[in-house]
Short mmCIF file of all heavy atoms in Angstrom, two decimals:
data_model
loop_
_atom_site.label_atom_id
_atom_site.label_comp_id
_atom_site.label_asym_id
_atom_site.label_seq_id
_atom_site.Cartn_x
_atom_site.Cartn_y
_atom_site.Cartn_z
N GLU A 656 11.99 22.70 -8.30
CA GLU A 656 10.84 22.63 -9.22
C GLU A 656 10.49 21.20 -9.60
O GLU A 656 9.34 20.80 -9.61
CB GLU A 656 11.15 23.44 -10.49
CG GLU A 656 10.01 23.41 -11.50
CD GLU A 656 10.22 24.30 -12.69
OE1 GLU A 656 11.26 25.02 -12.70
OE2 GLU A 656 9.40 24.28 -13.61
N LYS A 657 11.49 20.39 -9.91
CA LYS A 657 11.22 19.02 -10.35
C LYS A 657 10.81 18.13 -9.19
O LYS A 657 10.12 17.11 -9.41
CB LYS A 657 12.46 18.45 -11.04
CG LYS A 657 12.75 19.08 -12.41
CD LYS A 657 13.90 18.37 -13.09
CE LYS A 657 14.13 18.98 -14.49
NZ LYS A 657 15.23 18.33 -15.19
N ALA A 658 11.21 18.45 -7.97
CA ALA A 658 10.94 17.55 -6.85
C ALA A 658 9.77 17.98 -5.99
O ALA A 658 9.41 17.29 -5.03
CB ALA A 658 12.20 17.43 -5.99
N THR A 659 9.18 19.14 -6.26
CA THR A 659 8.06 19.60 -5.44
C THR A 659 6.89 18.63 -5.57
O THR A 659 6.50 18.23 -6.67
CB THR A 659 7.62 21.00 -5.85
OG1 THR A 659 8.69 21.92 -5.54
CG2 THR A 659 6.37 21.44 -5.10
N ARG A 660 6.32 18.24 -4.43
CA ARG A 660 5.29 17.23 -4.40
C ARG A 660 4.54 17.32 -3.10
O ARG A 660 4.93 18.07 -2.20
CB ARG A 660 5.91 15.84 -4.54
CG ARG A 660 6.85 15.49 -3.39
CD ARG A 660 7.83 14.40 -3.76
NE ARG A 660 8.68 13.99 -2.65
CZ ARG A 660 9.81 14.59 -2.29
NH1 ARG A 660 10.21 15.68 -2.97
NH2 ARG A 660 10.52 14.16 -1.25
N ILE A 661 3.46 16.57 -2.97
CA ILE A 661 2.78 16.45 -1.71
C ILE A 661 2.96 15.04 -1.20
O ILE A 661 3.23 14.10 -1.96
CB ILE A 661 1.27 16.76 -1.84
CG1 ILE A 661 0.56 15.70 -2.70
CG2 ILE A 661 1.06 18.14 -2.44
CD1 ILE A 661 -0.93 15.72 -2.65
N GLU A 662 2.87 14.88 0.11
CA GLU A 662 3.02 13.55 0.74
C GLU A 662 1.82 13.29 1.62
O GLU A 662 1.65 13.90 2.69
CB GLU A 662 4.31 13.51 1.58
CG GLU A 662 4.49 12.17 2.31
CD GLU A 662 5.53 12.23 3.43
OE1 GLU A 662 6.16 13.29 3.59
OE2 GLU A 662 5.70 11.23 4.12
N MET A 663 0.96 12.37 1.20
CA MET A 663 -0.16 11.94 2.04
C MET A 663 0.33 10.87 2.99
O MET A 663 0.86 9.84 2.56
CB MET A 663 -1.30 11.41 1.15
CG MET A 663 -2.04 12.50 0.40
SD MET A 663 -2.90 13.61 1.54
CE MET A 663 -3.29 14.98 0.43
N ARG A 664 0.11 11.07 4.29
CA ARG A 664 0.74 10.25 5.31
C ARG A 664 -0.20 9.25 5.97
O ARG A 664 0.22 8.45 6.79
CB ARG A 664 1.38 11.14 6.36
CG ARG A 664 2.54 11.98 5.79
CD ARG A 664 3.10 12.94 6.82
NE ARG A 664 3.63 12.27 8.02
CZ ARG A 664 4.82 11.66 8.09
NH1 ARG A 664 5.60 11.63 7.01
NH2 ARG A 664 5.22 11.10 9.20
N PHE A 665 -1.50 9.27 5.62
CA PHE A 665 -2.44 8.39 6.31
C PHE A 665 -2.58 7.01 5.68
O PHE A 665 -2.96 6.07 6.40
CB PHE A 665 -3.82 9.05 6.42
CG PHE A 665 -4.44 9.44 5.11
CD1 PHE A 665 -5.14 8.53 4.34
CD2 PHE A 665 -4.39 10.76 4.67
CE1 PHE A 665 -5.71 8.90 3.13
CE2 PHE A 665 -4.95 11.15 3.47
CZ PHE A 665 -5.62 10.21 2.70
N PRO A 666 -2.30 6.77 4.39
CA PRO A 666 -2.54 5.41 3.84
C PRO A 666 -1.66 4.37 4.51
O PRO A 666 -0.64 4.67 5.15
CB PRO A 666 -2.16 5.57 2.36
CG PRO A 666 -2.31 7.01 2.07
CD PRO A 666 -1.90 7.72 3.32
N ASP A 667 -2.05 3.09 4.35
CA ASP A 667 -1.21 2.01 4.84
C ASP A 667 -1.18 0.87 3.81
O ASP A 667 -1.89 0.86 2.81
CB ASP A 667 -1.67 1.49 6.21
CG ASP A 667 -3.06 0.84 6.19
OD1 ASP A 667 -3.25 -0.12 5.41
OD2 ASP A 667 -3.95 1.27 6.96
N SER A 668 -0.34 -0.13 4.10
CA SER A 668 -0.06 -1.17 3.11
C SER A 668 -1.06 -2.31 3.09
O SER A 668 -0.87 -3.27 2.35
CB SER A 668 1.36 -1.73 3.35
OG SER A 668 2.33 -0.74 3.16
N THR A 669 -2.15 -2.22 3.88
CA THR A 669 -3.23 -3.19 3.66
C THR A 669 -4.01 -2.84 2.39
O THR A 669 -4.79 -3.64 1.91
CB THR A 669 -4.21 -3.26 4.84
OG1 THR A 669 -4.77 -1.97 5.08
CG2 THR A 669 -3.51 -3.75 6.12
N SER A 670 -3.79 -1.64 1.89
CA SER A 670 -4.48 -1.22 0.67
C SER A 670 -3.88 -1.91 -0.55
O SER A 670 -2.71 -2.28 -0.58
CB SER A 670 -4.37 0.30 0.50
OG SER A 670 -3.02 0.68 0.30
N CYS A 671 -4.71 -2.08 -1.55
CA CYS A 671 -4.21 -2.46 -2.87
C CYS A 671 -3.57 -1.20 -3.47
O CYS A 671 -4.24 -0.16 -3.58
CB CYS A 671 -5.37 -2.91 -3.76
SG CYS A 671 -4.92 -3.14 -5.48
N PRO A 672 -2.30 -1.22 -3.80
CA PRO A 672 -1.63 0.02 -4.22
C PRO A 672 -2.26 0.68 -5.44
O PRO A 672 -2.34 1.91 -5.52
CB PRO A 672 -0.19 -0.42 -4.49
CG PRO A 672 -0.26 -1.89 -4.73
CD PRO A 672 -1.37 -2.38 -3.85
N TYR A 673 -2.72 -0.12 -6.40
CA TYR A 673 -3.36 0.45 -7.59
C TYR A 673 -4.62 1.24 -7.21
O TYR A 673 -4.84 2.34 -7.71
CB TYR A 673 -3.72 -0.65 -8.58
CG TYR A 673 -2.57 -1.55 -8.99
CD1 TYR A 673 -2.38 -2.78 -8.38
CD2 TYR A 673 -1.65 -1.14 -9.96
CE1 TYR A 673 -1.30 -3.59 -8.73
CE2 TYR A 673 -0.58 -1.93 -10.33
CZ TYR A 673 -0.40 -3.17 -9.70
OH TYR A 673 0.64 -3.98 -10.05
N LEU A 674 -5.42 0.65 -6.32
CA LEU A 674 -6.66 1.32 -5.92
C LEU A 674 -6.38 2.51 -5.01
O LEU A 674 -7.05 3.55 -5.11
CB LEU A 674 -7.57 0.31 -5.18
CG LEU A 674 -8.05 -0.88 -6.00
CD1 LEU A 674 -8.93 -1.80 -5.13
CD2 LEU A 674 -8.81 -0.44 -7.24
N ALA A 675 -5.39 2.40 -4.13
CA ALA A 675 -5.06 3.51 -3.24
C ALA A 675 -4.58 4.72 -4.04
O ALA A 675 -5.03 5.85 -3.79
CB ALA A 675 -3.97 3.07 -2.26
N PHE A 676 -3.71 4.50 -4.99
CA PHE A 676 -3.21 5.62 -5.78
C PHE A 676 -4.34 6.18 -6.64
O PHE A 676 -4.47 7.41 -6.80
CB PHE A 676 -2.05 5.17 -6.69
CG PHE A 676 -0.87 4.63 -5.94
CD1 PHE A 676 0.13 3.93 -6.62
CD2 PHE A 676 -0.72 4.81 -4.56
CE1 PHE A 676 1.23 3.43 -5.95
CE2 PHE A 676 0.38 4.30 -3.88
CZ PHE A 676 1.36 3.61 -4.58
N ALA A 677 -5.16 5.33 -7.22
CA ALA A 677 -6.24 5.78 -8.09
C ALA A 677 -7.28 6.60 -7.32
O ALA A 677 -7.74 7.63 -7.82
CB ALA A 677 -6.91 4.58 -8.77
N VAL A 678 -7.66 6.13 -6.12
CA VAL A 678 -8.70 6.85 -5.38
C VAL A 678 -8.20 8.21 -4.93
O VAL A 678 -8.95 9.22 -4.96
CB VAL A 678 -9.23 6.01 -4.20
CG1 VAL A 678 -8.21 5.92 -3.06
CG2 VAL A 678 -10.56 6.56 -3.69
N MET A 679 -6.95 8.30 -4.52
CA MET A 679 -6.42 9.62 -4.14
C MET A 679 -6.33 10.55 -5.34
O MET A 679 -6.67 11.75 -5.24
CB MET A 679 -5.02 9.47 -3.48
CG MET A 679 -5.08 8.93 -2.07
SD MET A 679 -3.49 8.98 -1.19
CE MET A 679 -2.64 7.59 -1.97
N MET A 680 -5.93 10.02 -6.48
CA MET A 680 -5.83 10.85 -7.67
C MET A 680 -7.18 11.32 -8.15
O MET A 680 -7.37 12.50 -8.53
CB MET A 680 -5.11 10.07 -8.78
CG MET A 680 -4.82 10.92 -10.02
SD MET A 680 -3.71 10.06 -11.13
CE MET A 680 -3.89 11.05 -12.63
N MET A 681 -8.19 10.44 -8.07
CA MET A 681 -9.55 10.86 -8.49
C MET A 681 -10.10 11.91 -7.56
O MET A 681 -10.75 12.87 -8.01
CB MET A 681 -10.47 9.63 -8.51
CG MET A 681 -10.17 8.64 -9.62
SD MET A 681 -10.37 9.35 -11.29
CE MET A 681 -12.16 9.53 -11.36
N ALA A 682 -9.84 11.77 -6.27
CA ALA A 682 -10.28 12.80 -5.31
C ALA A 682 -9.54 14.11 -5.56
O ALA A 682 -10.12 15.20 -5.50
CB ALA A 682 -10.05 12.32 -3.89
N GLY A 683 -8.23 14.00 -5.84
CA GLY A 683 -7.44 15.21 -6.13
C GLY A 683 -7.90 15.90 -7.40
O GLY A 683 -7.98 17.14 -7.44
N LEU A 684 -8.22 15.15 -8.43
CA LEU A 684 -8.73 15.74 -9.68
C LEU A 684 -10.05 16.42 -9.45
O LEU A 684 -10.34 17.48 -10.03
CB LEU A 684 -8.88 14.64 -10.75
CG LEU A 684 -7.59 14.01 -11.28
CD1 LEU A 684 -7.90 12.84 -12.18
CD2 LEU A 684 -6.73 15.07 -12.01
N ASP A 685 -10.87 15.85 -8.58
CA ASP A 685 -12.16 16.48 -8.24
C ASP A 685 -11.91 17.80 -7.52
O ASP A 685 -12.63 18.79 -7.74
CB ASP A 685 -12.98 15.52 -7.37
CG ASP A 685 -14.38 16.05 -7.09
OD1 ASP A 685 -15.21 16.08 -8.04
OD2 ASP A 685 -14.66 16.46 -5.95
N GLY A 686 -10.90 17.82 -6.66
CA GLY A 686 -10.55 19.07 -5.98
C GLY A 686 -10.06 20.12 -6.94
O GLY A 686 -10.39 21.31 -6.79
N ILE A 687 -9.27 19.72 -7.93
CA ILE A 687 -8.79 20.67 -8.96
C ILE A 687 -9.97 21.23 -9.74
O ILE A 687 -10.08 22.43 -9.99
CB ILE A 687 -7.79 19.97 -9.89
CG1 ILE A 687 -6.51 19.63 -9.14
CG2 ILE A 687 -7.50 20.85 -11.10
CD1 ILE A 687 -5.55 18.75 -9.91
N LYS A 688 -10.89 20.34 -10.11
CA LYS A 688 -12.06 20.75 -10.88
C LYS A 688 -12.92 21.76 -10.13
O LYS A 688 -13.40 22.76 -10.69
CB LYS A 688 -12.90 19.52 -11.22
CG LYS A 688 -14.21 19.80 -11.93
CD LYS A 688 -15.00 18.52 -12.13
CE LYS A 688 -16.37 18.81 -12.71
NZ LYS A 688 -17.18 17.54 -12.84
N ASN A 689 -13.07 21.54 -8.81
CA ASN A 689 -13.96 22.40 -7.99
C ASN A 689 -13.19 23.44 -7.18
O ASN A 689 -13.83 24.15 -6.39
CB ASN A 689 -14.78 21.51 -7.07
CG ASN A 689 -15.75 20.61 -7.81
OD1 ASN A 689 -16.61 21.10 -8.53
ND2 ASN A 689 -15.59 19.31 -7.65
N LYS A 690 -11.88 23.51 -7.39
CA LYS A 690 -11.05 24.49 -6.69
C LYS A 690 -11.26 24.42 -5.16
O LYS A 690 -11.47 25.43 -4.50
CB LYS A 690 -11.28 25.92 -7.22
CG LYS A 690 -10.82 26.11 -8.65
CD LYS A 690 -11.04 27.52 -9.11
CE LYS A 690 -10.30 27.84 -10.42
NZ LYS A 690 -10.52 26.87 -11.49
N THR A 691 -11.20 23.22 -4.65
CA THR A 691 -11.42 22.98 -3.21
C THR A 691 -10.18 23.39 -2.41
O THR A 691 -9.08 23.01 -2.74
CB THR A 691 -11.71 21.49 -2.98
OG1 THR A 691 -12.77 21.07 -3.86
CG2 THR A 691 -12.12 21.24 -1.52
N VAL A 692 -10.40 24.17 -1.38
CA VAL A 692 -9.30 24.68 -0.56
C VAL A 692 -9.31 23.93 0.78
O VAL A 692 -10.29 23.94 1.51
CB VAL A 692 -9.42 26.18 -0.31
CG1 VAL A 692 -8.28 26.66 0.58
CG2 VAL A 692 -9.41 26.95 -1.65
#
Side-chain angles (χ1 to χ4, degrees):
E656 180 175 356
K657 290 185 177 181
T659 294
R660 62 202 185 275
I661 66 166
E662 177 195 357
M663 287 295 165
R664 296 176 59 80
F665 58 83
D667 66 55
S668 296
T669 58
S670 64
C671 170
Y673 305 99
L674 298 179
F676 300 166
V678 72
M679 285 189 285
M680 186 169 166
M681 290 298 290
L684 292 173
D685 186 70
I687 292 170
K688 176 183 174 183
N689 295 300
K690 293 183 167 49
T691 308
V692 179

